[in-house]
Amino acid sequence: MDLEKRPAAPPPEQPPARTERPPAQPEGCLVVAIRLPVRILALVFVVPVRLVWDALVVGGRFVRDTALRPLGRALAWLGRTLVVVPLSALWRYVLAPVGRALGIAAVFLGKCLFVWPWVGLWRYVVVPVALGIGWLLRVLLVVPAVWVYVSVLTPVGHAIAWAARGVGAGIMWLLRGVGTGVGWLGRGVGWLLRVLLVVPAVWIYVSVLTPVGHAIAWVARGIGAGTMWVLRGIGFVVGTLLRWIFVVPVVALWRWVLAPIGRGIAVVAREIGDALGHAWRVAGHVSRAVWRFFGQLLRWIFVTPARWVYRAVLTPVGHAVRDLVWRPAADAVRAAGRATRQALAAARQSVRQARADVRRALFGQSRERVPAAEVPQARREPDTAQGRTLGNSTTVLTKE
């Protein structure tokens, strides 16, 4: 028995498409000197690991397929049977109906205790009392107030408004006269202020302040330009010093020390990784050959003899037992079953006939039912289109 499935037959190889490969970079002597011993050591250490890994994989698959998966299915069925189905039935047939009944009872009780009393109080107490109070207030307050407003306050207000319009017209005529005089006075004061204040202020701004401001701005620009030249010179000197003190040594250290060491470490790490990958693939081929040899050996030792025993010994014995023992026994059991069923049917028929005879002897012959088609014509309904009546009258008391 193979410990792992044989791979399917590979498809016919097709010629690979011609692709332009980039030219391989030349490898140095350090790479060539490191590659062979590293790959030998990796192969020596990786082959046992790959053998153990393949054995663990096959064992794990065997345990999963033969033990864990059936156990999981059994546990799932057991959990569904013992937990899910009872809880579902409890919820569907007990808790849900009880909850619905409790909900309906709680709603009805809430309506009885909270909704209906307040609705009745509002409908039959508060609303009639409020309507009565509103009618009483309308009769006692609104109607007299409306009469007072219409009959007393409206004429008085109209009279006051007419008097106010007359007084307002007089006051407006007086204010127009005063406003004309005040306007002429304001124009004179404005001309005086313009001549005394605005014209001298504009002359001072244009002739004195503007030249002075331009001179101050020119001096400030010159000072700022000189300061910027000085700061640029100081910054250039400081930057040059910092570059030669810090940047140039760091760049030299990186370029001539760290970068070569890093490239060497990268080459060694890449070669170790390639060697491990190559060794893992070679170990896979070795492991497949070793485990196939052990599988073939187990097949020769156990499977082939067991198959021969099954085909050459157990199968003929089983066929003989089936033909000589099981089939005659099954035929005999089926015949006995048929005879038993027939005997039971006859016994049931006999018991039924005896019970009928006893009933006939005790209670007499039962009267046979006559079909409706054989009932005499007098006992049947009339065949006329009219319904049955008591004559020309409609009641018994008026019948002749």
Side-chain angles (χ1 to χ4, degrees), residues 66-81:
T66 58
L68 296 181
R69 187 172 291 173
L71 180 62
R73 290 175 180 174
L75 291 177
W77 178 85
L78 188 63
R80 184 170 59 254
T81 304

Side-chain angles (χ1 to χ4, degrees), residues 15 28 37 40 55 67 134 179 186 192 205 209 221 225 228 237 240 249 252 257 270 275 290 307 323 325 331 338 367:
I40 293 173
L192 185 62
Y205 176 77
L209 296 180
R221 283 196 297 270
M228 288 301 298
V237 173
T240 304
V257 178
R270 186 175 64 250
V290 170
R307 185 180 298 173
D323 296 334
V325 178
D331 295 338
R338 284 194 297 269
R367 187 172 54 184

Side-chain angles (χ1 to χ4, degrees), residues 264-274:
I265 294 173
V267 169
V268 173
R270 186 175 64 250
E271 289 301 324
I272 291 174
D274 294 340

Side-chain angles (χ1 to χ4, degrees), residues 99-186:
R100 285 194 290 269
L102 291 177
I104 295 172
V107 170
F108 179 76
L109 185 62
K111 288 183 178 180
C112 293
L113 294 179
F114 298 101
V115 178
W116 293 342
W118 291 105
V119 170
L121 179 64
W122 173 264
R123 182 177 297 174
Y124 300 108
V125 178
V126 176
V127 173
V129 171
L131 292 177
I133 293 174
W135 179 82
L136 186 62
L137 291 175
R138 181 176 178 274
V139 171
L140 295 179
L141 297 178
V142 177
V143 174
V146 169
W147 180 83
V148 170
Y149 176 78
V150 173
S151 302
V152 179
L153 297 179
T154 300
V156 172
H158 289 173
I160 293 172
W162 180 80
R165 282 196 296 272
V167 173
I171 292 172
M172 288 300 296
W173 180 80
L174 183 61
L175 290 177
R176 284 176 185 170
V178 175
T180 303
V182 171
W184 284 103
L185 180 61

